[in-house]
Amino acid sequence: MIQIAVLGYGTVGSGVVEVINTNHESINKRVGQEVNIKYVLDLRDFPGDPVEKVLVHDYEIIINDPEVDIVVEVMGGVEPAYTFTKRALQAGKSVCTSNKELVARHGLELLKIAEEKNINYMFEASCGGGIPIIRPLHSSLTADEIDEISGILNGTTNYILSKMQAENADFEEVLKEAQEKGYAERNPEADVEGYDACRKIAILSSLAFGNHVNYEEIYTEGITKITVEDMKYASALDMSIKLLATSKKENDKFYAMVSPVLVGTDSPLYSVNDVFNAIFVHGNVLGDAMFYGSGAGKLPTASAVVGDVVDCAKHLHENVMTSWNSEKLDLMDIKEVVHPFLVRIKGKEAEMADAVKAVFGAVKTVSVPDVEGEFAIITGPLSEAEYEAKAAKLPEIISRIRFKA
Amino acid sequence: MIQIAVLGYGTVGSGVVEVINTNHESINKRVGQEVNIKYVLDLRDFPGDPVEKVLVHDYEIIINDPEVDIVVEVMGGVEPAYTFTKRALQAGKSVCTSNKELVARHGLELLKIAEEKNINYMFEASCGGGIPIIRPLHSSLTADEIDEISGILNGTTNYILSKMQAENADFEEVLKEAQEKGYAERNPEADVEGYDACRKIAILSSLAFGNHVNYEEIYTEGITKITVEDMKYASALDMSIKLLATSKKENDKFYAMVSPVLVGTDSPLYSVNDVFNAIFVHGNVLGDAMFYGSGAGKLPTASAVVGDVVDCAKHLHENVMTSWNSEKLDLMDIKEVVHPFLVRIKGKEAEMADAVKAVFGAVKTVSVPDVEGEFAIITGPLSEAEYEAKAAKLPEIISRIRFKA
């Protein structure tokens, strides 16, 4: 019998318990023996919930029980998750987690401990919820050198953007609705400012490129400044605006960034709507691939966590989830990164033509019938520095959005 | 050093050699030692090609060389691939393949031999070309009970259908163009009649459901009868027509079929166009997921084959690719399978209204301005048997297409 302990009985934790109970038979068959939840750790009590029978409030009970083989850390946040995980690994217990904050911050160190102890630290659920992406990157795309990984990695912002575009609705209005539906948290900062996507792309890039990407070095821009007018331009161009977390190799250099971008119908990311997530990967021999599914939610996330539990159970004392290199991946200065831009400009197109041409050269223009008093231009590929230098010369600029490179 | 032998220097075989040469460094790093192509087997000579140095015409050289650890079978067809694979496995050499015909027909037996010999028979490239799907099904989606797997599994037919719909072009015309571009073979039967997709869905279903699915029992209908008019109705409904290979669990029974179906914008399969493939999976806890990429082509397919080589090399004498059950999965009689249908009917809508109502009850109708002398109806969910019984009463029916269930 494989004994597991679940740390945290919140959304994901209760999902893990539910998945293991629901699919008990097939999970045990795949593992080759019974998987049993011996403990659930939570500070709260849950009177009347069957979890009461295994509920403990003290981590010491779990860490000191030699029968516990696998610890499922689904508490979220850095502490005490970090301390609990480290102690579990040091005690020879494998750990499975959905905690992207912890993996982005301390994943490298925790993976090294797992390697030394010949056990595993697994985190499939930390990026893309239920979508299998960590294991495919690690075990399937091994013939390739990956030169791009880009994802719609945050369901909340994708829901908001999809809704804004489909209904010509305001950011604030849709955010409020998302909060009411439980799709967005009361403090939505981590989602709408792109911090959540930033942590996830740091993890994915580290795995895809093999060297450590520090999430604090990734340029991150959220969606709070996206307006109904931006959406109208996007629709006029037959494109959609997505909060994209990208890392890409260009001329042997790497860049990583999170920002809203315009995506065209030629990209499979174009039609990823609502709370769905998708991760696009380009390999030098594979070409394009995309992994799509539920990026969040109790059961999809728990599905990924329990998939890791099965893998850990099948490899109890064998390290199969190898780490990335501790060498840091040097990221390009964001100022050097090149995109075409959609630039919205105040005034009448005819009257502004010369001023625009003087700054940006000959460019295509876009106007949308019901967005008055302004028009937009589509620049050629410009570095951020070039764009900023040009934009400084044209005070009539309202805003700019990048096109997906 | 890991020594490998490649059987067949055709499109995929030369791709495998190219991938191993191109990404030599990263592949060796992942394996932990050098991967070397010791032999390439082909009946032909390739004067001037660097492959000459390792080219052999006699399989006995390979099978009798104890240094060969892994055999890559990319010959296609059942014989001599079957005999060569069986002998390699019996000799303790792992085998990687892209050969869906062989896996669909003899996969179960070959997997059992690999298990007995504690080596591996891997076939990631047999379904969906470069798309990682076999390994995710086998190693990632282990917390789920899968109740549907449906795929656009044939690039040739997807190219033809996409083109027919985008350009209102005839099947014959687009097929000819596809043949000129090398997207379709001179004898396109295996693709356009759905036989290729049928073999692939048999493999995927066996893995997803755990019991053996016999491809000969899968109802298979190709795309040769799809017309420009069908495409016009699809466009009018804002849907696309896809050759879908589906297997699905319904009320504890399973069905499997390959046929053209109408897919709406609510499905991520809707926007999978051109030669791309995609595999949709629904798990009881995961919900919806989709895997997208290049379903064919030299390098994408070789990427998947070499990914298997890396996995085999890392597990030289350890069976990691477990088999499915030899018990046969009982498939439902196709007559019981239920879909809504789009039914095209000759005549004027108003004049036919009573006759249609007498047979199908109250139904929605569709007409397309430039398709004259006919209209179409959308039925409710009907079993194939029910549909056929009704259709027999209405001689004015031109054709029918199923909606994706």
Side-chain angles (χ1 to χ4, degrees):
Chain A
M1 196 189 286
I2 304 275
Q3 299 284 13
I4 75 170
V6 178
L7 313 186
Y9 195 63
T11 306
V12 181
S14 60
V16 167
V17 172
E18 186 177 333
V19 167
I20 289 178
N21 288 337
T22 308
N23 291 343
H24 205 59
E25 210 177 309
S26 56
I27 289 169
N28 292 348
K29 202 172 141 197
R30 283 178 185 129
V31 170
Q33 51 184 312
E34 202 190 327
V35 173
N36 181 57
I37 300 173
K38 187 163 183 185
Y39 304 110
V40 171
L41 177 78
D42 204 291
L43 291 176
R44 297 164 292 179
D45 283 307
F46 299 93
D49 188 313
V51 81
E52 272 196 306
K53 273 180 260 166
V54 293
L55 190 72
V56 295
H57 299 304
D58 181 4
Y59 185 58
E60 300 307 317
I61 297 167
I62 293 168
I63 195 77
N64 291 319
D65 185 340
E67 279 191 0
V68 173
D69 302 301
I70 300 168
V71 170
V72 175
E73 184 273 296
V74 283
M75 317 174 72
V78 173
E79 279 298 355
Y82 172 55
T83 305
F84 287 179
T85 300
K86 201 165 165 177
R87 289 185 63 195
L89 293 170
Q90 283 167 337
K93 302 176 194 302
S94 286
V95 177
C96 306
T97 189
S98 59
N99 189 335
K100 61 248 170 187
E101 267 179 278
L102 185 57
V103 178
R105 194 176 294 217
H106 297 293
L108 190 61
E109 182 198 358
L110 297 169
L111 279 161
K112 294 281 174 218
I113 301 173
E115 212 175 328
E116 282 161 29
K117 294 282 176 183
N118 212 22
I119 50 171
N120 293 288
Y121 182 50
M122 294 195 179
F123 42 88
E124 181 65 74
S126 67
C127 301
I131 306 172
I133 179 63
I134 304 282
R135 199 169 279 102
L137 275 179
H138 181 263
S139 309
S140 288
L141 305 180
T142 51
D144 273 77
E145 292 180 8
I146 295 183
D147 41 42
E148 179 181 351
I149 182 157
S150 290
I152 296 171
L153 294 174
N154 181 275
T156 305
T157 46
N158 203 47
Y159 173 83
I160 293 174
L161 292 173
S162 303
K163 200 94 178 164
M164 284 175 69
Q165 184 155 13
E167 300 178 2
N168 280 329
D170 251 351
F171 172 77
E172 292 297 340
E173 182 188 323
V174 180
L175 172 61
K176 210 178 139 215
E177 192 196 313
Q179 286 170 319
E180 283 161 8
K181 283 195 178 170
Y183 290 168
E185 301 191 31
R186 262 167 305 169
N187 178 356
E189 197 190 1
D191 294 320
V192 300
E193 295 296 356
Y195 306 148
D196 175 75
C198 167
R199 278 155 184 80
K200 291 171 178 168
I201 195 69
I203 298 169
L204 293 174
S205 315
S206 300
L207 272 168
F209 302 139
N211 282 355
H212 184 61
V213 175
N214 182 348
Y215 73 90
E216 291 167 311
E217 292 176 11
I218 297 176
Y219 174 81
T220 301
E221 188 180 309
I223 63 160
T224 54
K225 293 193 187 98
I226 299 293
T227 64
V228 178
E229 289 71 30
D230 294 328
M231 288 299 179
K232 288 181 178 169
Y233 282 104
S235 299
L237 292 165
D238 206 12
M239 301 184 91
S240 56
I241 298 179
K242 300 292 179 195
L243 181 66
L244 207 68
T246 295
S247 61
K248 209 166 171 178
K249 189 177 175 182
E250 252 181 23
N251 310 322
D252 286 320
K253 293 190 196 166
F254 291 87
Y255 73 83
M257 67 191 295
V258 176
S259 81
V261 296
L262 286 151
V263 178
T265 50
D266 55 332
S267 167
L269 294 165
Y270 168 80
S271 44
V272 176
N273 288 320
D274 302 323
V275 292
F276 283 100
N277 280 19
I279 298 122
F280 170 88
V281 178
H282 187 272
N284 73 333
V285 290
L286 171 68
D288 291 352
M290 191 178 81
F291 302 78
Y292 168 98
S294 297
K298 175 175 165 168
L299 291 180
T301 307
S303 158
V305 174
V306 177
D308 279 353
V309 169
V310 171
D311 207 6
C312 282
K314 286 170 81 177
H315 302 97
L316 261 197
H317 298 290
E318 184 193 350
N319 179 252
V320 291
M321 178 64 204
T322 49
S323 174
W324 55 81
N325 209 308
S326 59
E327 208 176 298
K328 236 184 69 177
L329 189 74
D330 271 330
L331 295 178
M332 271 163 73
D333 185 340
I334 191 73
K335 299 270 182 232
E336 296 171 32
V337 178
V338 173
H339 293 92
F341 291 83
L342 177 78
V343 187
R344 285 172 51 198
I345 300 171
K346 232 180 281 181
K348 289 215 167 95
E349 200 184 316
E351 286 165 17
M352 293 291 295
D354 289 343
V356 167
K357 197 174 179 186
V359 175
F360 288 101
V363 286
K364 265 199 263 185
T365 59
V366 192
S367 50
V368 179
D370 66 340
V371 180
E372 281 168 23
E374 62 167 276
F375 63 102
I377 61 164
I378 298 171
T379 74
L382 295 174
S383 73
E384 300 279 327
E386 285 167 339
Y387 171 76
E388 281 174 20
K390 288 181 191 294
K393 296 182 198 154
L394 206 66
E396 292 86 354
I397 288 179
I398 301 167
S399 67
R400 57 96 185 92
I401 304 181
R402 300 168 186 90
F403 287 90
K404 180 180 179 333
Chain B
M1 194 188 287
I2 305 275
Q3 299 284 13
I4 75 171
V6 179
L7 313 186
Y9 195 62
T11 306
V12 182
S14 59
V16 167
V17 172
E18 187 176 331
V19 168
I20 290 179
N21 289 337
T22 307
N23 291 345
H24 205 61
E25 210 177 311
S26 56
I27 290 169
N28 292 347
K29 201 172 143 199
R30 282 177 187 130
V31 170
Q33 52 182 313
E34 202 189 327
V35 173
N36 182 56
I37 300 172
K38 188 164 183 184
Y39 304 109
V40 171
L41 177 78
D42 205 291
L43 291 176
R44 298 165 293 179
D45 284 307
F46 298 92
D49 188 313
V51 82
E52 271 195 308
K53 274 180 261 168
V54 294
L55 191 71
V56 294
H57 299 304
D58 182 4
Y59 184 58
E60 301 306 318
I61 298 167
I62 293 168
I63 195 78
N64 292 319
D65 186 339
E67 280 190 2
V68 173
D69 302 302
I70 299 167
V71 170
V72 175
E73 184 272 297
V74 283
M75 317 174 73
V78 173
E79 280 296 356
Y82 172 53
T83 305
F84 288 179
T85 299
K86 201 166 166 175
R87 288 184 63 196
L89 293 170
Q90 283 168 335
K93 302 176 194 304
S94 285
V95 177
C96 307
T97 189
S98 58
N99 189 335
K100 61 249 171 186
E101 266 179 279
L102 185 57
V103 178
R105 194 177 294 217
H106 297 292
L108 189 61
E109 181 198 358
L110 297 169
L111 279 161
K112 293 282 174 217
I113 301 173
E115 213 176 326
E116 281 161 29
K117 294 284 176 182
N118 212 22
I119 50 173
N120 293 288
Y121 182 50
M122 293 194 178
F123 42 87
E124 181 64 75
S126 68
C127 301
I131 305 170
I133 180 64
I134 304 283
R135 199 170 279 101
L137 275 179
H138 181 263
S139 309
S140 289
L141 304 181
T142 52
D144 273 76
E145 292 180 8
I146 295 184
D147 41 42
E148 178 183 350
I149 181 157
S150 291
I152 296 171
L153 294 175
N154 181 275
T156 305
T157 45
N158 202 47
Y159 173 83
I160 293 174
L161 292 173
S162 303
K163 199 92 178 167
M164 284 175 70
Q165 185 156 12
E167 300 177 4
N168 279 329
D170 252 351
F171 172 75
E172 292 297 341
E173 181 187 323
V174 179
L175 172 61
K176 211 179 139 213
E177 193 196 311
Q179 285 170 319
E180 282 160 8
K181 283 194 179 170
Y183 290 170
E185 301 191 32
R186 261 169 306 169
N187 178 357
E189 198 190 0
D191 294 320
V192 299
E193 295 296 355
Y195 305 149
D196 174 76
C198 167
R199 278 156 184 80
K200 291 170 178 169
I201 195 69
I203 298 169
L204 293 174
S205 314
S206 300
L207 272 168
F209 303 138
N211 282 355
H212 183 62
V213 175
N214 182 350
Y215 73 91
E216 291 167 311
E217 293 176 11
I218 298 176
Y219 174 81
T220 300
E221 188 181 309
I223 64 161
T224 54
K225 293 194 185 97
I226 299 293
T227 65
V228 177
E229 289 73 29
D230 294 327
M231 289 298 179
K232 288 180 178 169
Y233 281 104
S235 299
L237 291 165
D238 206 12
M239 301 184 92
S240 57
I241 299 178
K242 300 291 180 194
L243 181 66
L244 206 69
T246 295
S247 60
K248 209 166 172 179
K249 188 177 176 182
E250 252 182 24
N251 309 323
D252 286 319
K253 293 190 199 167
F254 291 87
Y255 73 82
M257 67 190 296
V258 177
S259 82
V261 296
L262 286 151
V263 177
T265 49
D266 55 332
S267 166
L269 293 165
Y270 169 81
S271 46
V272 176
N273 288 320
D274 302 325
V275 292
F276 283 100
N277 280 20
I279 299 123
F280 170 87
V281 179
H282 187 272
N284 72 332
V285 290
L286 170 69
D288 292 352
M290 191 179 80
F291 302 79
Y292 168 97
S294 296
K298 176 176 165 166
L299 291 180
T301 307
S303 157
V305 175
V306 177
D308 279 352
V309 170
V310 171
D311 206 5
C312 282
K314 286 171 80 176
H315 302 97
L316 261 197
H317 298 289
E318 185 193 351
N319 178 251
V320 292
M321 178 65 205
T322 49
S323 174
W324 56 80
N325 209 308
S326 60
E327 209 177 298
K328 237 183 67 177
L329 189 75
D330 271 330
L331 294 178
M332 270 163 73
D333 185 339
I334 191 73
K335 299 270 182 230
E336 296 171 31
V337 177
V338 172
H339 292 91
F341 292 83
L342 177 78
V343 186
R344 285 172 52 200
I345 299 171
K346 231 180 281 179
K348 290 214 166 96
E349 201 185 315
E351 287 164 16
M352 293 290 296
D354 289 343
V356 167
K357 196 172 179 188
V359 175
F360 288 100
V363 286
K364 265 199 263 187
T365 59
V366 192
S367 49
V368 179
D370 67 340
V371 179
E372 282 169 22
E374 61 167 278
F375 63 102
I377 60 164
I378 298 172
T379 74
L382 294 174
S383 72
E384 300 280 327
E386 285 167 339
Y387 171 75
E388 281 175 21
K390 287 180 190 296
K393 296 182 197 153
L394 207 66
E396 292 85 354
I397 289 179
I398 301 168
S399 66
R400 58 94 185 91
I401 304 181
R402 299 169 187 90
F403 288 89
K404 180 179 180 333

